[in-house]
């Protein structure tokens, strides 16, 4: 047992006894006296006093340590006493429990011994009863068995006696008989005679049988041969029959199949027949119903026919009126119109040119029927007014929406010219010739479609298409680029017609068969695509492959009304002009060719502007002859013709000078 715990274990004592504490008032801290007289004595006293004090302190420390140990022991003792008390209590409890259990056990034991005694007694009585019963039954059985044994032995003895008797009797009889037979045998001795007779009989019998057998064998052989022949014949026949059977089987099978399909079909037909019968019945009943009102209906039908005829005529009159009105509207909008189109940024232009805020398009002014565009060239603002302005977000379909009316006019027999003007890269070709939705492509679709509508009113149309370019004042046929023909422009001033000699012309009769029309418009598209690819291109400072020629798509539209016998001829000219950019001072003119080209383009564009301007201001002299282009289009520009010019501009800041030039020229055309 551990007696002392080391104080280092930081045990907190539960004892109430206070521990001795050293304070500043303790004798240890008394000051030394500073006395010279009794220096020695006092020194001695002080020394012994100090020793005593130290001793006292040590004793006190020892006492304190002891007390601490004692406290710890006391605490431990207290805890142990508590534990002991608890164990005592537990022990008492267990003791009483044990007592109770013992008592209960004793009672149970007594109960059990009583019970087992009782059972033993019962068992004893039962066993005795059983033994008595057993003895009784044994005695009874023994007597019964004895009785039966006696009876049986008696019965067996009598039976044995009877049998012995009858057997003896029959033995005697048999012996008698044997003796009798023996005697008889002794009397009769025919053995030899019998053997001879039997042999003779056998010989006769055998020869007869042999002959008979031979004959029958022969006939049997013959018969077998016959049968064999017949058998092979039959076998052959059988194989033939088998084949035939097989073929028949197959035939039957196919016939069965056919039968089932036929049956199926016939079922169907029957059901349709019954349906038809039913509808016939229905119709018959309807006819019966209506036969009463038939004359009335006939009368009504004739009335309707008359009315339809009247309406037809009215409709035709309306159609002529529509043409006139449509033209009036177009004239009111102005026979010469100038539109502007600002193309969107392409490729990475927006990122590099940073031109946002240089070009502003104002909303359309419906009252004035005009729209304004303002260009900021960093020095000043330039404002221009047009009949309409298309912005970056407007696509070719929106542009074409405005052209529809002009195309319709050309179907109605008026001449129409549409131009795209602008510097290279400003979107002229995109507007006019874009493969999917350029003006030319949409025009073809529209004409094919609209001519279909007019067909219902009796109009038949024929188209004649030419596609040429003017390069350096020379005409080239884009539909027949290989041929090196000379082309001359010829006007018939009386008829107001123009002809370019030696060009390839495509004639298309609109049939109003939908498939045919789709095929035709595809054919024209392909021709235009090919023609456009052959356009002359040459490098300029603007870009490497820019078009330096005007392309002119010409379509003559001839209409004939088979009901009213009216005729109409309209001309539609769709012109993609050459790039309008000026030669720059600093640009090196590499060849005489390029100089000539540029001069010719500038001249023809200026001339076109002059012509349109003069027409718009109804001047008496119009300088058509100054360029090939204006001369070619003379008859399509005069009289009631309609002219539309698109000024294409680029949003690129680097093109701002050319943009302003283009807009200035357009303003000159538009206002003068
Ligand atoms: P255009 O019809 O005058 O003649 P093309 O259609 O033959 O010219 O070729 C123009 C091509 O050059 C366009 O595909 C366009 O991408 C490019 N291009 C032309 N001008 C510019 C420009 N200013 N900035 C960027 N690309 C240009
Ligand atoms: P141009 O014929 O005036 O030289 P392009 O028609 O060849 O100019 O146009 C120059 C480029 O700009 C082409 O790549 C063209 O596809 C593109 N472009 C022009 N206009 C549009 C437009 N409205 N929308 C989208 N791309 C355009
Ligand atoms: Mg072009």
């Amino acid at each position: 047992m551990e007696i002392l715990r080391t104080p280092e274990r930081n045990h907190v004592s539960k004892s109430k006894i206070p521990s001795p504490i050293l304070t500043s008032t303790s004798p240890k801290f008394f000051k030394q006296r500073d006395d010279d007289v009794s220096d020695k004595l006092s020194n001695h006293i002080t020394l012994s006093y100090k020793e005593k004090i130290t001793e006292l302190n040590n004793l006190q420390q020892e006492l304190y340590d002891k007390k601490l140990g004692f406290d710890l022991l006391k605490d431990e003792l207290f805890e142990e006493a508590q534990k002991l008390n608890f164990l005592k209590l537990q022990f008492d409890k267990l003791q009483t429990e044990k007592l109770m259990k013992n008592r209960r056990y004793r009672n149970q034991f007594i109960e059990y011994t009583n019970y087992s005694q009782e059972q033993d007694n019962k068992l004893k009585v039962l066993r005795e009863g059983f033994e008595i019963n057993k003895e009784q039954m044994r005695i009874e059985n023994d007597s019964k068995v004895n009785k039966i044994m006696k009876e049986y032995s008696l019965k067996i003895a009598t039976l044995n006696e009877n049998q012995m008797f009858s057997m003896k009797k029959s033995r005697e009889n048999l012996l008698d008989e044997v003796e009798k037979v023996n005697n008889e045998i002794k009397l009769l001795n025919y053995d030899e005679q019998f053997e001879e007779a039997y042999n003779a009989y056998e010989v006769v019998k055998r020869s007869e049988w042999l002959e008979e057998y031979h004959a029958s064998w022969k006939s049997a052989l013959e018969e077998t041969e016959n049968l064999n022949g017949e058998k092979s014949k039959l076998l052959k026949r059988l194989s033939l029959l088998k084949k035939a059977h097989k073929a028949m089987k197959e035939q039957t099978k196919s016939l069965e199949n056919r039968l089932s399909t036929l049956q199926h079909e016939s079922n169907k037909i029957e059901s349709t027949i019954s349906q038809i019968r039913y509808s016939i019945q229905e119709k018959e009943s309807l006819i019966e119903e209506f036969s009463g009102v038939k004359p009335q209906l006939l009368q009504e039908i004739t009335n309707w026919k008359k009315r339809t005829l009247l309406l037809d005529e009215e409709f035709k009159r309306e159609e002529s009126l529509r043409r006139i009105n449509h033209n009036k509207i177009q004239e009111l909008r102005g026979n010469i119109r100038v539109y502007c189109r600002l193309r969107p940024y392409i490729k990475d232009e927006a990122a590099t040119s940073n031109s946002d805020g240089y070009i502003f398009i104002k909303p359309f002014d419906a009252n004035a029927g005009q729209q304004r565009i303002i260009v900021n060239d960093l020095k000043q603002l330039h404002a221009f007014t047009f009949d309409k302005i298309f912005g970056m977000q407007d696509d070719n379909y929106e542009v074409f929406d405005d052209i529809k009316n002009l195309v319709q006019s050309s179907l109605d027999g008026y001449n129409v010219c549409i131009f795209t003007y602008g510097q290279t890269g400003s979107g002229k070709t995109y507007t006019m010739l874009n493969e999917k939705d350029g003006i030319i492509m949409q025009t073809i679709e529209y004409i094919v479609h609209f001519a279909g509508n007019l067909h219902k009113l009796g109009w038949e149309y024929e188209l004649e298409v030419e596609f040429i370019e003017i390069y350096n004042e020379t005409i080239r046929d884009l539909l027949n680029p290989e041929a090196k023909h000379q082309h001359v422009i010829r006007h018939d001033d009386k008829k107001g017609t123009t002809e370019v000699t030696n060009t390839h012309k495509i004639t298309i009769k609109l049939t109003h068969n939908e498939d045919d029309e789709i095929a035709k418009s595809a054919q024209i598209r392909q021709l235009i695509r090919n023609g456009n690819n052959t356009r002359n291109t040459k490098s300029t400072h603007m870009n490497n492959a820019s078009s330096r020629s005007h392309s002119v798509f010409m379509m003559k539209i001839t209409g004939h009304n088979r009901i009213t016998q009216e005729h109409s001829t309209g001309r539609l000219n769709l012109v993609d002009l050459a790039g309008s950019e000026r030669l720059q001072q600093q640009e090196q003119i590499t060849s005489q060719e390029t100089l000539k080209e540029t001069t010719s383009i500038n001249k023809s564009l200026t001339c076109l502007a002059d012509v349109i301007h003069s027409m718009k201001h109804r001047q008496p002299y119009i300088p058509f002859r100054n360029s090939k282009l204006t001369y070619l289009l003379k008859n399509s520009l005069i009289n009631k013709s309609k002219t539309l010019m698109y000024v294409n501009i680029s949003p690129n800041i680097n093109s701002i000078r050319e943009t302003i030039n283009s807009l200035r020229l357009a303003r000159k055309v538009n206002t003068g």
Side-chain angles (χ1 to χ4, degrees):
M1 192 182 163
E2 199 184 348
I3 299 173
L4 252 178
R5 287 193 195 188
T6 47
E8 289 90 335
R9 286 182 74 177
N10 198 19
H11 181 84
V12 178
S13 171
K14 286 173 196 152
S15 163
K16 300 279 179 308
I17 303 164
S19 310
I21 294 163
L22 297 179
T23 65
S24 55
T25 51
S26 297
K28 190 183 170 186
F29 297 99
F30 284 177
K31 274 195 179 157
Q32 284 183 4
R33 280 190 13 214
D34 197 9
D35 194 341
D36 279 333
V37 184
S38 56
D39 196 24
K40 236 182 174 175
L41 182 70
S42 74
N43 258 355
H44 176 74
I45 289 170
T46 319
L47 212 73
S48 72
Y49 181 70
K50 258 185 185 173
E51 268 169 17
K52 288 279 186 273
I53 289 286
T54 325
E55 210 175 313
L56 193 67
N57 274 345
N58 286 346
L59 277 173
Q60 222 166 14
Q61 182 62 41
E62 215 173 296
L63 191 67
Y64 171 73
D65 287 347
K66 286 258 165 70
K67 191 184 172 315
L68 210 67
F70 179 68
D71 281 349
L72 284 176
L73 277 174
K74 215 176 158 188
D75 287 348
E76 221 168 284
L77 195 67
F78 180 73
E79 266 173 32
E80 291 303 321
Q82 264 184 341
K83 262 188 213 165
L84 192 69
N85 268 344
F86 177 73
L87 283 174
K88 256 186 193 164
L89 267 172
Q90 207 81 343
F91 179 75
D92 284 352
K93 210 170 136 193
L94 285 172
Q95 201 84 356
T96 41
E97 243 170 68
K98 192 187 156 196
L99 256 165
M100 288 203 4
K101 269 189 186 159
N102 268 352
R103 213 173 289 157
R104 218 183 302 150
Y105 173 73
R106 215 178 296 133
N107 287 346
Q108 273 177 356
F109 183 74
I110 290 162
E111 237 171 80
Y112 170 73
T113 34
N114 287 347
Y115 179 74
S116 66
Q117 240 168 20
E118 210 175 290
Q119 291 302 322
D120 277 354
N121 290 343
K122 269 187 196 166
L123 199 67
K124 220 173 155 188
V125 172
L126 277 174
R127 247 189 215 140
E128 276 164 8
F130 176 71
E131 283 300 320
I132 292 163
N133 267 354
K134 207 170 107 183
E135 192 56 30
Q136 250 177 0
M137 270 164 80
R138 200 182 55 79
I139 293 162
E140 261 172 42
N141 276 350
D142 277 1
S143 69
K144 263 186 201 166
V145 169
N146 276 342
K147 207 178 154 193
I148 288 166
M149 286 268 272
K150 266 178 201 164
E151 268 172 26
Y152 267 86
S153 52
L154 239 163
K155 267 184 192 168
I156 287 166
T158 46
L159 264 175
N160 272 354
E161 240 169 68
N162 286 348
Q163 230 164 349
M164 282 290 273
F165 181 74
S166 69
M167 270 166 81
K168 257 182 195 167
K169 219 177 171 182
S170 63
R171 187 176 157 248
E172 273 166 18
N173 283 349
L174 273 172
L175 279 175
D176 282 354
E177 249 170 86
V178 167
E179 218 177 58
K180 256 189 210 167
V181 170
N182 270 349
N183 288 343
E184 264 172 53
I185 289 167
K186 267 177 200 163
L187 282 172
L188 297 165
N189 198 3
Y190 290 127
D191 277 7
E192 274 169 36
Q193 276 177 16
F194 174 75
E195 213 164 283
E196 257 172 51
Y198 185 77
N199 284 347
Y201 166 75
E202 280 285 276
V203 169
V204 173
K205 202 177 153 194
R206 215 172 273 170
S207 67
E208 267 176 18
W209 178 82
L210 259 175
E211 251 166 50
E212 228 174 77
Y213 177 76
H214 193 73
S216 75
W217 181 76
K218 241 184 173 177
S219 72
L221 205 73
E222 270 168 24
E223 214 170 312
T224 313
E225 257 166 36
N226 285 347
L227 280 172
N228 268 346
E230 219 164 300
K231 189 185 153 195
S232 67
K233 267 190 217 160
L234 280 172
L235 274 175
K236 266 185 206 161
R237 189 148 163 65
L238 184 70
S239 77
L240 283 176
L241 281 172
K242 263 184 185 165
K243 272 184 201 160
H245 177 69
K246 209 176 162 192
M248 289 268 276
K249 239 182 172 175
E250 271 161 23
Q251 218 173 326
T252 316
K253 213 175 176 185
S254 73
L255 280 172
E256 267 172 2
N257 284 346
R258 177 124 181 77
L259 185 72
S260 79
T261 51
L262 280 174
Q263 231 153 17
H264 189 69
E265 264 167 48
S266 101
N267 281 350
K268 264 197 209 161
I269 290 169
E270 259 172 39
S271 76
T272 15
I273 286 173
S274 68
Q275 272 176 6
I276 290 169
R277 264 202 203 120
Y278 181 71
S279 73
I280 286 173
Q281 271 177 5
E282 266 189 343
K283 276 185 188 137
E284 269 173 357
S285 66
L286 270 176
I287 287 168
E288 243 170 66
E289 240 176 74
F290 277 106
S291 60
V293 277
K294 196 181 165 191
Q296 209 178 319
L297 277 174
L298 277 175
Q299 183 56 44
E300 227 161 281
I301 287 169
T302 43
N303 288 350
W304 270 108
K305 271 186 185 159
K306 271 185 207 158
R307 266 163 81 181
T308 314
L309 272 175
L310 283 174
L311 275 174
D312 261 0
E313 266 171 30
E314 208 170 305
F315 199 63
K316 271 175 230 150
R317 263 205 305 282
E318 284 292 323
E319 163 57 15
S320 303
L321 267 176
R322 182 199 64 75
R323 283 176 175 233
I324 293 159
N325 284 337
H326 180 77
N327 191 46
K328 270 190 188 150
I329 291 166
Q330 297 311 311
E331 275 174 7
L332 279 174
R333 290 184 68 183
N335 275 344
I336 296 169
R337 275 177 255 168
V338 182
Y339 288 177
C340 175
R341 185 182 194 186
L342 171 66
R343 76 155 162 78
Y345 293 115
I346 49 169
K347 294 165 200 162
D348 50 358
E349 252 179 2
T352 55
S353 71
N354 187 25
S355 58
D356 278 345
Y358 290 99
I359 298 172
F360 307 91
I361 298 172
K362 299 264 174 188
F364 183 73
D365 180 352
N367 288 333
Q370 283 180 333
Q371 201 166 359
R372 272 158 75 82
I373 185 168
I374 291 152
V375 182
N376 179 1
D377 69 353
L378 295 179
K379 287 181 206 138
Q380 62 182 110
L381 295 179
H382 306 264
F384 303 92
T385 308
F386 294 101
D387 293 306
K388 194 162 191 172
I389 299 169
F390 295 93
M392 292 193 185
Q393 70 288 346
D394 296 318
D395 61 13
N396 276 348
Y397 292 102
E398 266 154 295
V399 168
F400 187 73
D401 223 39
D402 238 72
I403 292 172
K404 271 182 201 158
N405 291 324
L406 294 183
V407 175
Q408 204 173 312
S409 290
S410 73
L411 276 168
D412 292 349
Y414 295 93
N415 294 342
V416 175
C417 286
I418 301 173
F419 301 94
T420 52
Y421 177 95
Q423 74 178 116
T424 296
S426 60
K428 300 184 294 296
T429 308
Y430 183 90
T431 304
M432 196 55 96
L433 278 153
N434 191 39
E435 267 195 31
K436 183 173 130 253
D437 53 12
I439 291 176
I440 296 183
M441 307 306 176
Q442 287 201 65
T443 299
I444 292 160
E445 299 277 304
Y446 188 79
I447 285 179
V448 169
H449 170 76
F450 200 76
N453 284 352
L454 292 178
H455 179 73
K456 291 168 202 146
L457 304 172
W459 284 97
E460 310 267 10
Y461 282 99
E462 196 178 277
L463 312 177
E464 193 185 276
V465 175
E466 286 167 275
F467 193 25
I468 60 159
E469 72 169 354
I470 301 172
Y471 172 70
N472 275 351
E473 294 300 281
T474 318
I475 292 175
R476 289 211 238 163
D477 187 357
L478 289 174
L479 296 182
N480 190 15
E482 301 308 322
K484 301 266 182 282
H485 291 301
Q486 287 283 324
H487 303 284
V488 183
I489 300 165
R490 291 219 178 101
H491 293 299
D492 184 332
D493 285 338
K494 272 186 200 155
K495 286 188 195 159
T497 58
T498 305
E499 191 209 352
V500 182
T501 59
N502 293 327
T503 54
H504 185 68
K505 298 176 178 67
I506 304 160
T507 314
I508 295 154
K509 211 172 152 61
L510 296 180
T511 53
H512 315 291
N513 166 326
E514 210 171 290
D515 290 340
D516 211 28
E517 278 165 16
I518 289 166
K520 274 194 182 131
S521 63
Q523 182 198 346
I524 305 174
R525 277 158 175 270
Q526 187 55 45
L527 282 167
I528 291 157
R529 218 172 290 141
N530 293 345
N532 196 38
N533 287 342
T534 60
R535 280 180 73 189
N536 184 42
T537 55
K538 236 181 177 188
S539 89
T540 69
H541 72 292
M542 294 300 286
N543 82 45
N544 292 331
S546 64
S547 167
R548 309 302 295 147
S549 69
H550 311 298
S551 84
V552 189
F553 176 84
M554 298 187 285
M555 197 190 281
K556 188 165 118 188
I557 305 161
T558 327
H560 169 238
N561 193 317
R562 59 191 146 74
I563 301 168
T564 60
Q565 298 307 324
E566 282 174 279
H567 284 273
S568 77
T569 307
R571 272 163 214 281
L572 186 61
N573 303 284
L574 304 172
V575 187
D576 178 21
L577 293 168
S580 64
E581 56 274 4
R582 309 290 151 101
L583 278 178
Q584 304 282 305
Q585 292 286 296
Q586 66 270 33
E587 188 191 355
Q588 290 205 333
I589 295 163
T590 45
S591 68
Q592 205 57 30
E593 184 83 8
T594 319
L595 177 66
K596 190 184 158 204
E597 199 181 67
T598 313
T599 326
S600 128
I601 291 168
N602 288 342
K603 190 183 148 210
S604 66
L605 289 175
T606 321
C607 181
L608 178 68
D610 288 346
V611 165
I612 298 175
H613 175 81
S614 320
M615 288 193 318
K616 190 153 188 167
H617 296 90
R618 298 180 199 284
Q619 283 171 2
Y621 175 73
I622 298 168
F624 287 116
R625 276 187 178 274
N626 284 1
S627 84
K628 270 267 152 62
L629 181 70
T630 46
Y631 188 60
L632 170 71
L633 296 175
K634 186 180 117 178
N635 281 323
S636 293
L637 289 166
I638 53 173
N639 293 334
K640 288 181 168 175
S641 349
K642 286 119 197 29
T643 301
L644 174 57
M645 184 149 116
Y646 280 94
V647 183
N648 289 89
I649 56 172
S650 149
N652 196 324
I653 185 68
N654 302 324
S655 305
I656 203 99
R657 289 259 41 94
E658 284 300 334
T659 298
I660 290 169
N661 277 341
S662 293
L663 293 171
R664 275 190 183 137
L665 178 124
R667 176 163 61 190
K668 189 181 160 219
V669 169
N670 210 18
T671 57

